[in-house]
Amino acid sequence: EVQLVESGGGLVKPGGSLRLSCAASGFTINNAWMNWVRQAPGKGLEWVGRIKSKPDGGATDYAAPVKGRFTFSRDDSKNTLYLQMNSLKTEDTAMYFCTTERITGSYYYMDVWGKGTTVTVSS
Amino acid sequence: DIQMTQPPSSLSASVGDRVTITCRASQSISSYLNWYQQKPGKAPKVLIYAASSLQSGVPSRFSGSGSGTDFTLTISSLQPEDFATYYCQQSYSTVYTFGQGTKLEIK
């Protein structure tokens, strides 16, 4: 079964750091573009960013609210994606989902989603 | 960034109704528009990609249309399991954006 499992969420103080992991099973992430999406409590979905596969250059793109504070990385040998979050703010409080990005022709969409991990930033 | 708007934020309907949910982009995004369904406490699930392509395994009562700036998701005959929140998302630009969501509630 194709699955993504996020972990590493928790309670952190403003200004602190946290690293989330996203472990894939049932497929290898080597050629996969991966995204992070978050959802603040009671709010809508917000795209956080993406990391392309290493064969495609491994480039990253970030949403404006997290640029310069969040960093994506991947360890394809461990079939795992990481999200390093620094200088956390209360507005980063959310459920964080990792997703695979399916590319069909020139169209892109997020098809496999994990169940998410909760990050709470509070003093 | 491209802004995605989904009016209204909630909609009431009955089982068996035909329902249309709208999404508008702040600039033309061709057909680079995806629709997701999210139920409470669950991860989103893709329904439609490229504006009108049905994702494998999704019931055929779901359909999508539109191009440019205006898009619709139609559910031809609402089933009890369809009451959820629906989000549109553009993949035209490198930086993706979602609409704020439309919550479909039971009338």
Side-chain angles (χ1 to χ4, degrees), chain A residues 4 27-36 47 49-61 74 76 81 98-103 105-112, chain B residues 91 93-94 96:
Chain A
L4 295 171
F27 73 105
T28 58
I29 68 167
N30 298 48
N31 293 313
W33 293 20
M34 304 293 293
N35 290 265
W36 289 94
W47 182 79
R50 108 176 30 81
I51 181 166
K52 294 182 180 178
S53 66
K54 285 185 179 163
D56 288 326
T60 53
D61 295 290
R74 57 194 300 155
D76 292 346
L81 182 70
C98 67
T99 87
T100 59
E101 184 156 357
R102 179 65 61 99
I103 302 169
S106 62
Y107 295 97
Y108 300 72
Y109 62 97
M110 292 175 271
D111 62 344
V112 179
Chain B
S91 59
S93 75
T94 304
Y96 291 168

Side-chain angles (χ1 to χ4, degrees), chain A residues 42-102:
Chain A
K43 302 296 184 184
L45 301 172
E46 180 184 20
W47 182 79
V48 175
R50 108 176 30 81
I51 181 166
K52 294 182 180 178
S53 66
K54 285 185 179 163
D56 288 326
T60 53
D61 295 290
Y62 297 92
V66 307
K67 203 167 189 176
R69 300 188 298 121
F70 288 15
T71 303
F72 307 131
S73 61
R74 57 194 300 155
D75 186 337
D76 292 346
S77 68
K78 293 184 178 177
N79 225 27
T80 301
L81 182 70
Y82 301 100
L83 169 52
Q84 177 67 43
M85 304 186 292
N86 297 331
S87 304
L88 281 160
K89 305 176 181 180
T90 55
E91 52 264 40
D92 295 318
T93 293
M95 175 76 79
Y96 284 74
F97 298 98
C98 67
T99 87
T100 59
E101 184 156 357
R102 179 65 61 99

